[in-house]
Amino acid sequence: MTSASEPWTLRRVSILLLAIIIMALVACAAPAAEEQDKNWTAAADLVETSDRVLVAKLVDSRQESIQLVDSVSGAIAGETTVLFRQFEVFESIKGTSDPEDRLWVAFEADSPGELVDGEGSVRDFRESETYVLFLKGRLRPLEYPPEFGAVLWTGNGEPAFAELVGDVLEFRAERPYLDLLAREGRALPNPNSASPFTITLEEVKDLR
């Protein structure tokens, strides 16, 4: 006799296997996890450790409440709110995305997830602008809605998101990163960019 829970279990196993296959395809020679998600002060390190570097535009955003599940007991361990922004790819500098591909990127939904420029002013994503995204990918936790993809994409540390102004990248970062740079006495060469380094799109391509 088949129990009522078996179809759900089989579905979860199928999703997990599909996600593992996708991750295997996109993670060939992927950077080691311990080398990612840091506070970057050199452009070469940021590019080298990112799973994908994409030129893209914002097309959608959604805020979702996610129930956190204890990995041992399977019990509900709390709830968090995640802001998902969807981007359409113009150009893939690093990784396997193709032009017109769309992918969701996860952000914190509250104020710690706000991105600021070099002067500390909050800068939101706009559909009229072009961005360069430095991303890391992880297998999507099963409690996350499957419509956001089998891979959970997030920024690869700080700074990981830049507005493309001409050929120059103007970075946005969380405020604690900007505070860290100030404590370390690192000057910002461009006040519009929350980054201690300057780089152009062509220079990013040279570093991939």
Side-chain angles (χ1 to χ4, degrees):
M1 175 179 287
T2 302
S3 69
S5 64
E6 283 189 10
W8 172 239
T9 301
L10 290 173
R11 180 169 175 263
R12 288 169 67 95
V13 170
S14 298
I15 292 173
L16 179 60
L17 289 175
L18 176 61
I20 291 172
I21 292 171
I22 292 174
M23 283 297 291
L25 291 174
V26 302
C28 295
E34 61 270 17
E35 297 176 353
Q36 298 181 306
D37 202 22
K38 297 182 179 182
N39 292 320
W40 307 109
T41 56
D45 295 334
L46 172 60
V47 175
E48 180 182 356
T49 61
S50 294
D51 294 315
R52 291 188 183 182
V53 180
L54 307 174
V55 182
K57 67 174 182 178
L58 177 72
V59 293
D60 196 8
S61 61
R62 287 172 54 185
Q63 189 164 299
E64 292 284 328
S65 294
I66 309 293
Q67 287 190 331
L68 302 177
V69 177
D70 186 278
S71 59
V72 177
S73 67
I76 300 299
E79 187 173 276
T80 188
T81 302
V82 179
L83 176 61
F84 289 92
R85 291 185 171 106
Q86 189 182 49
F87 294 87
E88 181 177 314
V89 177
F90 287 147
E91 180 181 2
S92 178
I93 297 173
K94 183 178 180 182
T96 58
S97 295
D98 294 320
E100 299 185 359
D101 280 355
R102 293 189 175 192
L103 77 165
W104 291 95
V105 180
F107 296 79
E108 291 185 44
D110 53 8
S111 57
E114 288 181 340
L115 301 184
V116 299
D117 61 19
E119 296 183 326
S121 299
V122 175
R123 301 292 291 270
D124 202 0
F125 289 91
R126 297 176 294 178
E127 294 182 7
S128 59
E129 305 298 339
T130 301
Y131 299 94
V132 182
L133 318 176
F134 299 82
L135 304 177
K136 73 176 191 297
R138 295 292 183 270
L139 184 65
R140 176 182 56 79
L142 289 178
E143 59 265 28
Y144 278 60
E147 60 262 33
F148 294 112
V151 177
L152 179 64
W153 294 104
T154 57
N156 178 29
E158 294 287 344
F161 304 97
E163 182 180 335
L164 188 60
V165 180
D167 190 47
V168 176
L169 276 68
E170 294 186 352
F171 283 90
R172 313 296 179 230
E174 293 189 7
R175 199 177 301 276
Y177 173 76
L178 205 61
D179 295 339
L180 174 65
L181 296 181
R183 290 196 301 272
E184 294 181 348
R186 295 183 181 272
L188 300 181
N190 180 355
N192 292 322
S193 179
S195 165
F197 54 83
T198 59
I199 192 167
T200 67
L201 186 60
E202 289 305 313
E203 289 169 340
V204 171
K205 293 177 181 179
D206 290 340
L207 291 172
R208 61 188 165 183

